[in-house]
Amino acid sequence: MRDEEKNIYFMNTALNLAKKGAGKTSPNPMVGAIVVKENTIIGYGWHMKAGGPHAEIFALDQAKDNARGATLYVTLEPCCHQGKTPPCTNAIIRAGIRKVVIAMVDPNPLISGQGIKQLQDAGIEVISGVMEKEACYLNDIYIKNITARKTFCALKTAITLDGKTATKSGSSRWVTNEKSREYVHILRSRHDAVLTGVGTVLADDCQLNVRLDDNLLAQPIRIVLDPELQTPVDAKILDTTAAPTMIITKKESMDQSNNIALTKKGAKIYALPHQGNRINLQELLDFLYRMGIMSIMVEAGSNLNASFLRAGLIDKYYVFVAPKFVGGNDGMGIFAGSGVANMANAMSLQIIEREYFNEDILFAAYPVAANKR
C-alpha cells in the first residue's frame, strides 16, 4: 500500500472514531486518533465529552510503550495549550511518536499551526491536509463557532418529490418514512438546541426531543419563538422532564399571566427585541451564543423558515425527500412568501452528503457563499 493510500485508509478510520463523539463534545470539536505501527493499529480513541481527555491521550494510553517510533493519525491538529486538559503535543512528544498525520489545522487562534510547530521542533515529522475536506465537514459547527463567534444554524425539512412539506389543509404526517424520522432524532441530538415557532407548537403539539432507546444520545434544549406567549400550558414541549425548554417572547408579553403559568411548568422565558411580532433573528443567534448554545437546528413552518432564509442565517440544510406527489399548486413548500424572479438568482447549494433511508433520500448541503442571502 502506497503512503498516500495508507494515510487515507487510517485517517478514514480516525474520522469514523471522531463521529462517535457527535452531540457530546460541544463546545469542543469531535476528534478521533489512532496509533499505527507496522501497519497495525495499536491504540485508538476519540474525544468523548467536553472537558474529558482528548482523543490522542486515549490512543497513546492504549499503545503504551509501543507508541515509540509509531505514527499517530489525528483528525484535528493536537492542542498545544493548557485548557481543561494538558497539551496533547507534550504527551505526543513524551510518547516517542515518530510521525503525526493530521487531517485539518485547528482554526482556534490559541492552536492554529502552533501545535504542528511544537511537534516539528521536537523532531517529529508532520503531514497535514489528509482528508481535510471530510474533517471540516465533520466539525462545521466548531469551525463556525471559533472563526465567526456565532451560533451555527441548520435547517431540517422534509418534502415530497414535487416539493411539498404539507398538503393544502396543512396535513404533513407523515411526509417521510419511519427510518427517516428516526434519523431526525439523531440529528437533534447533534445540536445544542432545536428551534421552532409557536405556530408549529399550536398546529402539531410537537415535542422536538430525542425519543430513541439510546441513553447515550444528548437531549437538545427546545426553543420556541412565541411573541404573544400563546404556548398552551399543556403543550408537550413543556414536558421538561424530557428536555429543557426556552421560550423567546417580546418584552410586552412578559407581564401576561401566561408567563407565570409557563414558568411554573419549567419553561425558561426570555424577552428579546421585536419588530411587531417578528424577532430579529441575528439578535436571537447572538443571544444564544452568549448563552453557550453553539448550534441550533430549525424545525419550523414555512414562515419562520423563510425568515431565516431571507436573513442569510442558515449554515446547513438537511432536506429529506420522499417519493410522493401531493399534486396541485396549493400545497405548502419549505419557504413562504415570494421567491426570486429569475433562476439565475436562485440560491445554489453544495451537496456534501447523501443518505438513503429505504426509498427516502437525505441531502445535507451548505449554501454556496456567493449566493447566500
Side-chain angles (χ1 to χ4, degrees):
M1 187 185 300
R2 293 187 294 112
D3 284 348
E4 183 179 351
E5 293 173 339
K6 182 169 67 174
N7 287 343
I8 291 173
Y9 173 82
F10 285 121
M11 187 60 74
N12 188 59
T13 301
L15 285 167
N16 286 330
L17 284 170
K19 292 174 184 176
K20 292 178 178 288
K24 306 178 186 71
T25 65
S26 179
N28 294 343
M30 292 175 276
V31 183
I34 58 174
V35 179
V36 176
K37 197 169 191 178
E38 297 178 356
N39 294 328
T40 300
I41 296 173
I42 60 173
Y44 65 89
W46 66 93
H47 187 38
M48 295 183 180
K49 63 178 181 179
H54 290 185
E56 300 95 315
I57 304 305
F58 282 116
L60 292 171
D61 284 350
Q62 277 194 8
K64 295 185 172 60
D65 291 342
N66 288 331
R68 188 161 299 279
T71 298
L72 173 70
Y73 290 84
V74 61
T75 59
L76 183 71
E77 178 183 8
C79 67
C80 56
H81 71 293
Q82 178 70 49
K84 292 183 178 180
T85 59
C88 288
T89 49
N90 291 353
I92 294 167
I93 294 167
R94 285 197 307 269
I97 290 290
R98 178 182 63 84
K99 179 165 70 174
V100 176
V101 182
I102 298 166
M104 63 173 284
V105 173
D106 194 328
N108 187 336
L110 293 175
I111 302 167
S112 187
Q114 298 174 63
I116 291 175
K117 184 176 185 303
Q118 279 193 15
L119 296 174
Q120 290 174 330
D121 288 347
I124 296 173
E125 179 186 356
V126 178
I127 298 173
S128 63
V130 176
M131 299 192 73
E132 180 180 27
K133 181 174 68 175
E134 291 80 1
C136 289
Y137 290 164
L138 181 65
N139 277 311
D140 49 11
I141 292 172
Y142 172 73
I143 293 170
K144 173 72 179 281
N145 298 159
I146 286 292
T147 59
R149 298 292 176 184
K150 294 182 182 297
T151 294
F152 185 94
C153 179
L155 184 145
K156 189 280 297 180
T157 190
I159 59 172
T160 60
L161 272 177
D162 54 347
K164 303 297 193 297
T165 62
T167 67
K168 62 182 180 181
S169 68
S171 172
S172 60
R173 295 191 176 182
W174 294 103
V175 174
T176 53
N177 62 36
E178 186 174 356
K179 284 189 175 294
S180 293
R181 298 197 300 273
E182 285 181 357
Y183 192 68
V184 169
H185 291 268
I186 294 173
L187 289 178
R188 287 174 183 167
S189 76
R190 294 177 179 175
H191 295 80
D192 289 349
V194 176
L195 182 145
T196 195
V198 67
T200 299
V201 174
L202 294 172
D204 298 338
D205 196 17
C206 50
Q207 298 179 67
L208 298 185
N209 57 352
V210 175
R211 299 187 300 279
L212 295 181
D213 188 19
D214 188 342
N215 293 330
L216 297 178
L217 293 177
Q219 285 287 356
I221 299 169
R222 283 88 54 87
I223 302 173
V224 182
L225 303 190
D226 184 2
E228 303 289 345
L229 283 186
Q230 296 173 285
T231 302
V233 292
D234 59 351
K236 291 178 181 176
I237 204 165
L238 293 177
D239 179 6
T240 54
T241 60
T245 300
M246 289 172 53
I247 297 177
I248 308 296
T249 190
K250 59 184 181 181
K251 184 178 180 181
E252 293 81 357
S253 298
M254 292 295 284
D255 295 331
Q256 293 183 18
S257 59
N258 209 29
N259 182 1
I260 298 174
L262 294 171
T263 301
K264 285 183 177 179
K265 291 285 289 187
K268 302 292 185 182
I269 302 179
Y270 301 91
L272 290 181
H274 280 67
Q275 293 178 330
N277 272 353
R278 293 185 181 275
I279 189 171
N280 183 307
L281 295 178
Q282 183 60 71
E283 288 191 20
L284 169 68
L285 292 181
D286 290 344
F287 169 75
L288 295 179
Y289 185 82
R290 293 194 299 271
M291 292 277 290
I293 296 173
M294 297 292 102
S295 62
I296 64 169
M297 187 166 77
V298 177
E299 292 190 53
S302 58
N303 287 310
L304 187 52
N305 287 348
S307 295
F308 273 96
L309 178 72
R310 285 194 297 269
L313 297 176
I314 304 170
D315 296 299
K316 191 175 188 177
Y317 293 86
Y318 292 102
V319 182
F320 290 85
V321 182
K324 299 176 181 178
F325 287 136
V326 168
N329 59 5
D330 49 3
M332 299 181 184
I334 300 174
F335 304 106
S338 299
V340 298
N342 298 306
M343 189 59 70
N345 294 325
M347 175 180 285
S348 297
L349 299 176
Q350 176 193 3
I351 304 295
I352 62 167
E353 185 180 355
R354 295 176 182 85
E355 291 198 46
Y356 292 83
F357 300 93
N358 291 338
E359 293 83 9
D360 293 351
I361 306 174
L362 167 62
F363 294 95
Y366 297 134
V368 174
N371 291 331
K372 191 174 178 181
R373 301 182 188 346

